[in-house]
Amino acid sequence: MKDLFDKIYKDKGPLGKWAEQAEGYFVFPKLEGPISNRMKFRGKEVITWSINDYLGLANHPEVRKVDAEAAAEYGSAYPMGARMMSGHTDLHEKLQDELASFVHKQSAYLLNFGYQGMVSTIDALVSKQDVIVYDVDAHACIIDGVRLHLGQRFTYKHNDMESIEKNLKRATKIAEQTGGGILLISEGVFGMRGEQGKLKEIVELKKKYNFRLFVDDAHGFGTLGKTGAGAGEEQGVQDEIDVYFATFAKSLASTGAFIAGDKEIIDYLKYNLRSQMFAKSLQMQLVVGALKRLEILRTMPELKNKLWENVNALQNGLKDKGFDIGTTQSCVTPVYLKGSIPEAMALVKDLRENHGVFCSIVVYPVIPKGLILLRMIPTATHTLQDVEDTLEAFSAIRERLENGTYKRLSASVEAAMSNK
């Protein structure tokens, strides 16, 4: 019999094998200073395009004031216990009511964490007789939730309506045999590509197939739609989303999440979400802070307007310079380049050290081999000068990538890895 840890010693995984070269710089980097458009990385100021603080609320003076006052009044423990036992308060209810109203739903329920909440919501919505149909590019929290499902599940090609319908037909046949139902899961905005899920087209399929729609709108909440209610509002189908999910970790610049939908559905989930039934309640200072952030979303549309001014300046500037940003329909701004992982390391180091630009790097296995994805998140705190400086930097790194500079610089890293 093998030692359980044998596989760990022999195979560090597709990302872990790069730890010696990457940790502390390319992965697990340490940004310092107040969360903003410019922060410190290894003692140097950099333009930060890796912070999901879309509306700039992380260091908004009104938000900081309320956070501090709530922490002073309640501490970091209150309320103690799970919501069902001793962790329920009027302010938790108030926040839920205001969130439901904001996203145009009857009811909402707070979740301690987005990832945990998504996994648990999927688990609560389906039984082994049911069938799940979901996008192949779904976020890891959705994939992990689906993994818990004891019944059938099918992936469809990313945003491919023909594939969606094909899998709905398969799911329908199975559900008719098992006596179950169908849950279709999409994202409102896909966090890597920046594309919106085809919610309007998916909703149209409800006329032909009997399924319920669950939407993860982490990147759409607060950024899309006339009022900021998200991708469903943007596409005019918010009413047709059966269970709506969003996190506080993006537009609200905090910790926590929520689900929203018809009251009867949310009441059922409230009594069946294991991650909430058996976990401590969301701390009061986070609840009070979220109420303030939500108030700002409602009353200060200029923040979303400034966000989109920066988004449009960055994305149009990149396209004008011939960069491939895919088919993003959101604030998420991917830049696709061709190169190896060692070349990507050399490129990003040049970008950070010599141009003062910090953005996230995504490589295989998250995206296909031979591609480098530089993922940028514009925020309301960025300036047009930040955009101009970044466009100049990107032009410089593309030239070095194409003329082989990074390939030469990365040769030693590539050789070291090939010998392992």
Side-chain angles (χ1 to χ4, degrees):
M1 184 175 70
K2 288 184 178 180
D3 182 339
L4 176 67
F5 289 170
D6 280 350
K7 59 181 178 290
I8 297 174
Y9 300 135
K10 293 176 181 177
D11 183 3
K12 301 299 182 184
L15 292 178
K17 71 177 183 178
W18 296 98
E20 186 177 333
Q21 290 80 15
E23 190 161 331
Y25 195 95
F26 303 103
V27 296
F28 301 105
K30 299 173 185 175
L31 285 167
E32 298 176 337
I35 296 170
S36 187
N37 60 315
R38 292 181 183 246
M39 298 174 68
K40 290 286 184 69
F41 179 64
R42 296 197 163 191
K44 296 181 180 179
E45 183 180 83
V46 290
I47 304 171
T48 49
W49 297 103
S50 293
I51 305 297
N52 291 321
D53 182 23
Y54 282 121
L55 300 175
L57 297 185
N59 272 300
H60 191 285
E62 292 183 39
V63 167
R64 290 289 296 265
K65 181 174 182 291
V66 168
D67 285 352
E69 290 173 349
E73 181 174 357
Y74 297 105
S76 60
Y78 184 79
M80 287 298 294
R83 291 282 295 281
M84 293 187 78
M85 299 300 178
S86 56
H88 189 65
T89 73
D90 288 340
L91 288 177
H92 283 74
E93 289 185 348
K94 181 181 180 184
L95 177 56
Q96 289 172 172
D97 290 344
E98 293 194 12
L99 286 165
S101 175
F102 187 79
V103 298
H104 315 300
K105 293 296 182 185
Q106 287 182 2
S107 185
Y109 192 65
L110 288 178
L111 308 171
N112 292 354
F113 295 97
Y115 201 112
Q116 172 203 56
M118 173 59 71
V119 170
S120 193
T121 300
I122 294 172
D123 179 52
L125 284 171
V126 292
S127 61
K128 65 181 180 180
Q129 291 81 23
D130 301 321
V131 184
I132 298 176
V133 177
Y134 66 106
D135 195 294
V136 70
D137 278 3
H139 189 271
C141 65
I142 295 173
I143 293 170
D144 285 353
V146 171
R147 282 175 173 171
L148 293 177
H149 181 44
L150 298 177
Q152 294 271 18
R153 66 263 194 159
F154 302 113
T155 58
Y156 57 83
K157 296 176 184 177
H158 175 61
N159 263 353
D160 185 312
M161 295 310 301
E162 183 178 342
S163 180
I164 291 173
E165 187 159 12
K166 176 183 176 181
N167 281 285
L168 281 173
K169 287 179 181 177
R170 296 168 68 190
T172 298
K173 288 181 180 179
I174 292 169
E176 286 174 347
Q177 294 170 358
T178 63
I182 301 170
L183 178 67
L184 193 152
I185 308 174
S186 176
E187 295 190 42
V189 172
F190 289 85
M192 286 295 162
R193 299 173 186 256
E195 295 171 344
Q196 292 182 41
K198 292 191 175 180
L199 307 183
K200 187 174 183 178
E201 292 89 339
I202 290 171
V203 162
E204 277 295 305
L205 289 176
K206 283 188 170 186
K207 296 175 182 177
K208 294 176 65 176
Y209 304 95
N210 184 16
F211 65 90
R212 293 295 185 173
L213 177 59
F214 183 19
V215 174
D216 173 354
D217 204 25
H219 289 274
F221 174 71
T223 69
L224 293 175
K226 183 178 179 181
T227 69
E233 183 182 54
E234 179 81 10
Q235 298 182 36
V237 293
Q238 187 75 352
D239 289 347
E240 296 295 328
I241 295 173
D242 297 296
V243 181
Y244 178 91
F245 165 94
T247 175
F248 298 166
K250 308 296 191 289
S251 288
L252 292 191
S254 186
T255 300
F258 71 98
I259 46 174
D262 289 349
K263 186 178 185 305
E264 191 167 356
I265 305 305
I266 299 304
D267 281 349
Y268 170 83
L269 290 171
K270 180 168 67 174
Y271 281 88
N272 290 277
L273 284 170
R274 294 174 63 82
S275 67
Q276 307 308 305
M277 294 168 64
F278 301 105
K280 185 180 180 300
S281 176
L282 194 66
Q283 299 100 310
M284 186 64 87
Q285 80 269 29
L286 295 175
V287 173
V288 174
L291 281 164
K292 183 61 181 180
R293 288 161 169 81
L294 190 59
E295 176 192 321
I296 291 175
L297 257 66
R298 289 195 306 263
T299 60
M300 297 180 67
E302 62 268 24
L303 294 178
K304 185 160 76 76
N305 294 339
K306 175 58 179 171
L307 165 65
W308 276 98
E309 178 186 351
N310 291 334
V311 171
N312 291 329
L314 180 64
Q315 292 184 357
N316 290 336
L318 287 165
K319 287 188 287 187
D320 289 345
K321 288 183 177 294
F323 285 96
D324 178 8
I325 65 169
T327 53
T328 180
Q329 303 157 309
S330 68
C331 303
V332 178
T333 305
V335 177
Y336 297 95
L337 300 166
K338 292 181 179 179
S340 64
I341 292 178
E343 283 178 293
M345 290 178 171
L347 179 154
V348 169
K349 189 169 184 179
D350 187 17
L351 197 60
R352 293 176 183 178
E353 299 297 328
N354 300 316
H355 297 281
V357 174
F358 187 103
C359 60
S360 297
I361 174 178
V362 184
V363 293
Y364 178 82
V366 180
I367 59 174
K369 285 183 177 180
L371 279 181
I372 301 168
L373 191 161
L374 300 176
R375 178 175 175 266
M376 294 191 286
I377 303 292
T379 74
T381 65
H382 282 102
T383 67
L384 295 180
Q385 187 61 56
D386 293 334
V387 172
E388 187 59 36
D389 292 347
T390 299
L391 292 175
E392 289 181 13
F394 269 59
S395 294
I397 63 165
R398 177 174 58 187
E399 182 179 346
R400 293 186 187 120
L401 180 64
E402 291 175 349
N403 68 23
T405 299
Y406 296 136
K407 190 170 186 63
R408 291 190 295 273
L409 290 173
S410 64
S412 60
V413 174
E414 200 151 20
M417 289 310 301
S418 63
N419 291 330
K420 287 192 175 184

